[in-house]
């Protein structure tokens, strides 16, 4: 995304929502759902990960300490990951650690333990869960901490139990196939929120000999548990000091920690053969050559099995994405905050001044207390945007597929919803003297009051004759007519006749609606009470005369009548030059003065972009409070001569705010996608607003 300036914008594409200036808080913990990593759990608001979300770090152990042994560091290889759950103050309320033992190359059997830098008394419980390689839970037990002051506990007395007690070398030899073991998950619950050094992970994860538990091996930062046999320090090859323990005389730790997954040596191959720069790193006490595991690596020394496969990929049981649970969030909260509700698709939405939002679209299933009539049903649903409660819903459908397309409210809060209907229409001309009959898709408008009661229904078939095609309509009309746009709803063979893509009420009269009838290049005004077409405005209508040097709109979107009766409209421009796509095609935004007494139209202002462009489909335009104009170029074609369905025809979206003056200035521009990319991007609508969130209370 490229942006000249960022400002609060709501992108209305799949879900057409102008978000309210307040969010939801499903668990009532004071943090809005949109900012809550755990929106269904009171007091838990944040999540942290180490080494990273969905990633693992690695530890390698040489178990013959205090002797150097063979220095292959595959006696125990363990992947780790930590997830932290925070309260609003950043204190930890739960730790979730995942461990995968990847290799056991030692003849000496070893157990695994963990000590954390928190008092044992601060912890409410420790639970261990074992998962098999299919992520099926095998067992879950509560762990009992030792008597150490810090929280210390044994994970297992023998790590071979995670491989069904296999007795040989595990994932260290090139002559044997690799084995996959269990995944171990540790849950640690705090009595109360506790400050915790998350950056010190993996903490004191250590091994100990099964037969002699006091013989432990730890990271250099730790000197052992209360059960440690300290008499082993500074014997044989150990070079421990008061500040660094469990290192040899060359400074090399007997337990190595890596912040990501890295290769480990094959059996009998020294660690400095795989990582030549580790010797200098060890001699410096870890202050130089800190990239030894990425720089100069001799990958030929790394473990691979008899089939050439490397170490098993560690499993990740914890949530790779948050929020992990959203079941508590009500329909409206899910629709706005998390992007979708299963099997529902919102085409349009309107938020009234009282904080009620109404959506329309289609659903594959059924709302509460509603019935699916078959296939896809249209719906109209009203929500309280403060609580997220569903106030009412109307599910509308036939045995086929139905959808709500757009929605608008009048000054009283009544609702007008655009839908579609299919009719079999005959009398269309053909190349012979015979006429043709088609399944023609037109548009309907449904009227609801604030309580969801359906009051009336109108159809565009009453206002326009689908077979009355003006003579000056050229091939562009028939190309649109034959577009299989509605086949996904009605099956194959439909004709997309009127294609009403937008409705608005006349701000001076709630009984009058302004329609965008895209495929007829018409902006129409209808009297709903009289069920009468009052006038149509466009290049193929004789109702108005264009005065001055203005141009008509073609295949438009989003006409809005202003308080003074003028109309601001997004003029896509399809067919302006007699062809659907052409090198001279261009898109613009235009503002018309409409004189309904003398039936004259005058072009007051237009904006064609800093460079000519063509956005063949979708689009939106609005005046904003500061007098500027916000333009949504929904689908700009990188080459106007290539249809957007072609793999060679890239498309992208753009938001532009410009000043309303003779030489408009761009004050904001956001490009979604890139005109050099083959993949297509498009937007439908956008809304300018101050903030998602209310100002802080005094």
């Amino acid at each position: 995304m490229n942006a000249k300036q960022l400002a609060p914008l709501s992108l209305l594409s799949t879900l057409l929502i102008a978000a309210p200036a307040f969010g939801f808080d499903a668990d009532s913990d004071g943090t809005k759902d949109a900012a809550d990593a755990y929106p269904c759990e009171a007091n838990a608001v944040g999540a942290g990960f180490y080494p990273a979300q969905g990633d693992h770090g690695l530890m390698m152990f040489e178990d013959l300490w205090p002797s150097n042994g063979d220095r292959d560091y595959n006696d125990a290889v363990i992947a780790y990951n930590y997830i932290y759950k925070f309260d609003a103050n950043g204190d930890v309320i739960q730790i979730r650690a995942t461990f995968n033992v990847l290799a056991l190359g030692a003849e000496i059997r070893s157990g695994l333990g963990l000590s954390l830098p928190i008092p044992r008394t601060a912890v409410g419980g420790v639970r261990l869960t074992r998962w098999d390689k299919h992520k099926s839970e095998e067992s879950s037990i509560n762990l009992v901490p030792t008597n150490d002051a810090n929280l210390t506990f044994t994970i297992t007395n023998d790590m071979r139990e995670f491989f069904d007690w296999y007795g040989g070398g595990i994932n260290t030899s090139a002559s044997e196939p690799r084995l996959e073991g269990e995944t171990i998950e540790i849950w640690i619950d705090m009595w109360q929120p506790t400050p915790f050094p998350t950056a010190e992970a993996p903490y004191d994860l250590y091994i100990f000999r099964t037969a002699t538990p006091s013989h432990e091996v730890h990271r250099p930062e730790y000197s052992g548990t209360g059960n440690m046999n300290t008499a082993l320090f500074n014997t044989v090859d150990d070079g421990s000091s008061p500040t660094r323990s469990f290192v040899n005389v060359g400074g090399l730790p007997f337990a190595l920690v890596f912040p990501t997954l890295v290769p480990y040596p094959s059996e009998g191959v020294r660690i400095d053969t795989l990582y030549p720069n580790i010797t200098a790193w060890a001699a410096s006490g870890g202050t130089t050559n800190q990239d030894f595991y990425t720089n100069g690596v001799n990958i030929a020394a790394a473990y691979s099995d008899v089939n050439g496969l490397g170490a098993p990929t560690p499993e990740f049981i914890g949530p790779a994405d948050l929020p992990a649970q959203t079941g508590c969030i009500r329909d409206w909260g899910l629709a706005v905050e998390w992007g979708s509700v299963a099997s529902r698709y919102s085409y349009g939405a309107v938020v009234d001044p009282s904080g009620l939002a109404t959506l329309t679209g289609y659903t594959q299933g059924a709302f509460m207390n509603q019935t699916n009539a078959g296939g896809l049903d249209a719906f109209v649903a009203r929500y309280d945007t403060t609580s997220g409660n569903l106030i009412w819903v109307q599910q509308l459908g036939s045995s086929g597929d139905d959808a709500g397309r757009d929605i608008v409210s009048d000054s009283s809060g009544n609702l007008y919803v655009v839908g579609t209907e299919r009719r079999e229409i005959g009398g269309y001309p053909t190349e012979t003297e015979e006429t043709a009959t088609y399944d023609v898709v037109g548009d309907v408008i449904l009227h609801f009051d604030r309580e969801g009661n359906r009051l009336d229904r109108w159809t565009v078939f009453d206002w326009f004759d689908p077979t009355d095609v003006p003579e000056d309509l050229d091939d562009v009309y028939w190309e649109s007519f034959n577009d299989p746009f509605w086949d996904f709803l009605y099956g194959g063979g439909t004709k997309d006749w009127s294609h009403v893509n937008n409705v608005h009420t006349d701000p001076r009269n709630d009984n009058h609606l302004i329609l965008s009838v895209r495929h007829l290049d018409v902006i129409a005004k209808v009297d709903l009470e009289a069920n009468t077409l009052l006038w149509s405005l466009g290049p193929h209508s004789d109702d108005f005369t264009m005065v001055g040097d203005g141009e008509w709109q073609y295949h438009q979107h989003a006409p809005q009548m202003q308080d003074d009766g003028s109309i601001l409209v997004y003029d896509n421009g399809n067919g302006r030059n007699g062809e659907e796509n052409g090198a001279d095609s261009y898109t613009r935004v235009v503002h018309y003065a409409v004189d309904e007494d003398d039936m004259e139209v005058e072009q007051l202002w237009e904006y064609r972009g800093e460079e000519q462009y063509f956005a063949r489909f979708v689009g939106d335009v609005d005046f904003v409070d500061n007098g500027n104009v916000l333009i949504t170029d929904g689908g700009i074609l990188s080459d106007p001569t290539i249809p957007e369905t072609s793999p060679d025809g890239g498309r992208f979206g753009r938001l532009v705010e410009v000043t309303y003056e003779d030489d408009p200035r761009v004050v904001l521009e956001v490009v979604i996608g890139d005109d050099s990319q083959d993949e297509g991007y498009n937007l439908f609508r956008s809304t300018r607003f101050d903030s998602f969130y209310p100002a802080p209370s005094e």
Side-chain angles (χ1 to χ4, degrees), residues 41 48 75 238 341 483 492 667:
E41 186 174 343
D75 298 327
D238 180 63
V341 177
D483 191 327
V667 298

Side-chain angles (χ1 to χ4, degrees), residues 131-136 138 162 179-183 315:
W131 304 81
D132 67 18
K133 61 183 179 181
H134 303 295
K135 288 191 175 182
S136 296
E138 290 193 329
F162 303 143
L179 301 176
E180 294 188 17
E182 298 173 354
T183 299
E315 295 290 346

Side-chain angles (χ1 to χ4, degrees), residues 224-565:
T225 71
N227 191 46
M228 171 71 193
N229 180 6
T230 57
L232 295 171
F233 285 122
N234 300 117
T235 63
V236 196
D237 298 314
D238 180 63
S240 295
S241 69
T243 58
R244 296 189 82 220
S245 303
F246 299 98
V247 296
N248 68 11
V249 293
L252 182 63
F254 285 80
L256 297 173
V257 179
F258 300 87
T260 189
L261 296 175
V262 298
Y264 58 86
S266 291
E267 180 61 33
V269 177
R270 286 173 46 134
I271 188 74
D272 54 1
T273 302
L274 176 61
Y275 299 115
N277 294 328
I278 196 173
T279 303
W281 170 81
S284 72
T287 60
T288 67
N289 298 91
Q290 293 180 349
D291 63 348
F292 72 85
Y293 58 91
T294 60
N295 187 16
V297 177
N298 176 20
I299 198 64
Y303 161 75
S304 61
D305 76 349
V306 67
N307 298 309
L309 300 174
T313 300
E315 295 290 346
F316 186 75
I317 303 300
D321 298 298
L322 292 172
Q325 296 180 347
T326 58
C328 65
I329 304 176
R330 302 172 193 265
D331 276 349
W332 166 255
L334 277 169
V336 176
E337 310 293 1
W338 307 124
S340 66
V341 177
S343 76
R344 295 178 193 162
Y345 187 101
S346 297
Y347 264 124
V350 61
V351 181
D352 70 17
S354 64
L356 300 180
T358 311
L359 283 69
T360 190
Y362 64 77
T363 179
Q364 201 166 23
F367 280 81
M368 182 176 60
N369 300 323
Q370 300 288 305
T371 302
N372 180 269
L376 303 176
D377 282 354
F379 73 84
V380 184
R382 172 159 281 192
Y383 295 86
D384 183 326
T385 56
T386 302
S387 67
N389 290 328
L390 176 65
I391 299 174
W392 56 257
V393 63
Q394 291 284 357
Q395 188 162 331
L396 314 160
S398 63
S399 59
D401 291 325
D402 305 273
R405 288 268 290 160
D406 195 18
I407 188 169
V408 66
S409 64
D410 62 21
S411 60
S412 301
N414 295 318
L415 300 161
Y416 301 91
V417 178
V418 177
T420 60
E421 67 170 326
R422 178 181 56 180
R423 292 189 182 185
E424 188 177 275
I425 304 290
Y428 281 95
T430 67
E431 294 181 357
T432 68
E433 295 182 358
E434 297 180 356
T435 59
T437 299
Y438 299 121
D439 282 339
V440 178
V441 178
D443 300 277
V444 296
I445 296 171
L446 304 179
H447 186 197
F448 297 87
D449 64 16
R450 291 175 56 88
E451 286 69 45
N453 300 306
R454 181 170 150 180
L455 303 178
D456 214 333
R457 178 185 188 276
W458 302 274
T459 175
V460 176
F461 286 104
D462 289 343
W463 303 325
F464 295 93
D465 180 354
T467 64
D468 183 16
V469 181
E471 293 183 359
D472 61 339
L473 273 179
D474 47 31
D475 292 341
V476 176
Y477 170 80
W478 295 108
E479 184 172 340
S480 298
F481 184 75
N482 290 317
D483 191 327
F485 185 89
W486 293 113
D487 282 1
F488 82 101
L489 274 180
Y490 297 112
T494 60
K495 304 299 183 180
D496 189 5
W497 167 53
S498 52
H499 202 101
V500 171
N501 56 32
N502 183 252
V503 294
H504 269 282
T505 56
D506 183 335
R508 303 162 302 175
N509 188 331
D510 283 345
N511 285 320
H512 293 171
L513 274 189
I514 306 300
L515 312 179
S516 173
V517 192
R518 171 174 162 88
H519 284 185
L520 303 184
D521 297 331
V522 159
I523 300 171
K525 182 175 181 178
V526 295
D527 185 325
L528 298 176
E529 188 172 9
N531 192 19
T532 301
L533 174 67
L534 296 177
W535 48 253
S536 60
L537 181 155
H540 317 297
S541 171
D542 296 328
D543 289 351
F544 285 92
T545 300
M546 176 71 72
V547 298
D549 297 327
E551 296 181 13
W552 294 111
Q553 84 289 340
Y554 290 81
H555 268 46
Q556 72 288 327
H557 277 80
Q560 293 188 40
M561 180 169 279
Q562 310 301 310
D563 291 341
D564 62 0

Side-chain angles (χ1 to χ4, degrees), residues 508-630:
R508 303 162 302 175
N509 188 331
D510 283 345
N511 285 320
H512 293 171
L513 274 189
I514 306 300
L515 312 179
S516 173
V517 192
R518 171 174 162 88
H519 284 185
L520 303 184
D521 297 331
V522 159
I523 300 171
K525 182 175 181 178
V526 295
D527 185 325
L528 298 176
E529 188 172 9
N531 192 19
T532 301
L533 174 67
L534 296 177
W535 48 253
S536 60
L537 181 155
H540 317 297
S541 171
D542 296 328
D543 289 351
F544 285 92
T545 300
M546 176 71 72
V547 298
D549 297 327
E551 296 181 13
W552 294 111
Q553 84 289 340
Y554 290 81
H555 268 46
Q556 72 288 327
H557 277 80
Q560 293 188 40
M561 180 169 279
Q562 310 301 310
D563 291 341
D564 62 0
S566 63
I567 293 177
L568 182 68
V569 61
Y570 187 90
D571 177 8
N572 293 85
N574 307 49
R576 191 191 315 276
N577 299 313
E579 54 185 352
E580 180 71 13
N581 293 62
D584 296 327
S585 300
Y586 62 88
T587 295
R588 63 179 184 148
V589 169
V590 60
H591 187 202
Y592 294 130
V594 180
D595 184 341
E596 297 182 67
D597 293 325
D598 295 334
M599 301 302 287
E600 293 180 341
V601 172
E602 180 182 3
Q603 182 174 305
L604 300 176
W605 178 87
E606 70 169 0
Y607 178 73
R608 298 191 184 187
E610 294 180 310
E611 296 181 356
Q612 180 174 309
Y613 69 97
F614 182 44
R616 180 182 181 276
F617 60 102
V618 297
D620 187 31
V621 62
D622 299 277
F623 281 116
V624 291
D625 291 342
N626 61 8
N628 291 344
V629 180
L630 178 63

Side-chain angles (χ1 to χ4, degrees), residues 4-5 7-9 605 607 622-633 654-660 664-670 686-689:
K4 291 184 178 179
Q5 174 185 345
L9 286 166
W605 178 87
Y607 178 73
D622 299 277
F623 281 116
V624 291
D625 291 342
N626 61 8
N628 291 344
V629 180
L630 178 63
I631 303 166
T632 305
D633 294 314
R654 179 175 62 190
L655 301 175
V656 184
E657 185 175 326
V658 301
T659 57
Y660 186 88
R665 292 179 294 106
V666 175
V667 298
L668 176 146
E669 182 176 9
V670 179
S686 62
T687 295
R688 186 81 143 83
F689 57 95

